[in-house]
Amino acid sequence: MPTIFENLTIGVFAKAAGVNVETIRFYQRKGLLPEPDKPYGSIRRYGDADVTRVRFVKSAQRLGFSLNEIAELLRLDDGTHCDEASSLAERKLKDVREKLKDLARMEATLSGLVCACHAAKGDVSCPLIASLQRERRNPAGVDCCQRSSGP
């Protein structure tokens, strides 16, 4: 006996999967979700497996996987490619850790600039604006005021 999720219109399917109809169509264009046949004179119908697949895509996106990486995970979803899936996850974990380091650096820099702004008294230029202007003139981040100690 079919479950409630075996004869869904695209609108009901989208709602069951927790996305909008345009997301369903987008996933179909990207090859992440098959487009069911359209019976003559009728409308396409979706099932439980489609709902599960969209939920998988959304879960993977929340973990930071790109749509291309998700497509690769879906390709590996037969249960025999755990090593490949693990390798993909390890690369994603490495990327996340690098982003965390970048975010920590950004947080420290911004924190220092905010403190400098609060400490600035009188008619002086804003430390935050001045820092950003220096960065724009010197994108490599080298302090132009530093003197070289060697030849």
Side-chain angles (χ1 to χ4, degrees):
M1 181 154 132
T3 68
I4 190 170
F5 292 131
E6 293 304 319
N7 196 22
L8 305 175
T9 63
I10 193 168
V12 175
F13 165 42
K15 186 172 183 173
V19 298
N20 63 49
V21 169
E22 287 308 310
T23 300
I24 300 298
R25 292 185 176 128
F26 178 75
Y27 288 170
Q28 288 171 334
R29 286 190 303 272
K30 291 292 188 180
L32 298 171
L33 182 67
E35 189 172 356
D37 292 332
K38 182 178 180 181
Y40 181 76
S42 187
I43 59 174
R44 289 179 171 82
R45 298 293 177 161
Y46 298 85
D48 188 42
D50 299 310
V51 173
T52 300
R53 190 171 181 102
V54 170
R55 288 178 179 165
F56 174 90
V57 171
K58 295 308 289 180
S59 293
Q61 282 183 306
R62 283 191 295 275
L63 289 175
F65 287 99
S66 70
L67 293 181
N68 288 338
E69 291 167 330
I70 293 168
E72 181 67 14
L73 287 171
L74 287 167
R75 188 185 67 74
L76 300 172
D77 187 33
D78 68 359
T80 63
H81 295 91
C82 191
D83 289 342
E84 292 174 63
S86 177
S87 178
L88 185 60
E90 287 170 4
R91 286 193 307 272
K92 181 53 60 182
L93 180 58
K94 181 182 176 203
D95 291 346
V96 167
R97 287 177 174 157
E98 287 173 7
K99 287 177 185 177
L100 283 171
K101 287 178 189 175
D102 287 343
L103 286 170
R105 180 193 49 78
M106 292 165 57
E107 188 270 341
T109 300
L110 283 169
S111 180
L113 289 169
V114 167
C115 287
C117 284
H118 290 289
K121 301 286 187 231
D123 196 18
V124 296
S125 68
C126 172
L128 173 64
I129 304 279
S131 174
L132 294 173
Q133 286 174 337
R134 279 192 308 271
E135 181 70 22
R136 185 176 45 196
R137 284 190 306 259
N138 185 15
V142 177
D143 186 349
C144 297
C145 299
Q146 289 181 338
R147 299 276 184 226
S148 167
S149 60

